[in-house]
Amino acid sequence: MFLAYPLSGILNILPSANAKHAFSLVVGLWYAQEIFGNQVGSGRGREGGRRDGKGGREGKGSNRC
């Protein structure tokens, strides 16, 4: 989110309205991908991460079935 201020400076430099709209679209899609894509896209969540089905949080003495 700290990139919003430098990116707004770039937006002010762009010459035409069409260029500003295209830039806003690309940046908005990139923000949405960063925020929602990382949470929903992997399907494993933050704890999962491993492909073998073991979450990684349990120790050796875990009673997980």
Side-chain angles (χ1 to χ4, degrees), residues 21-31:
H21 289 304
F23 182 76
S24 295
L25 176 69
V26 169
V27 170
L29 290 174
W30 178 71
Y31 272 169

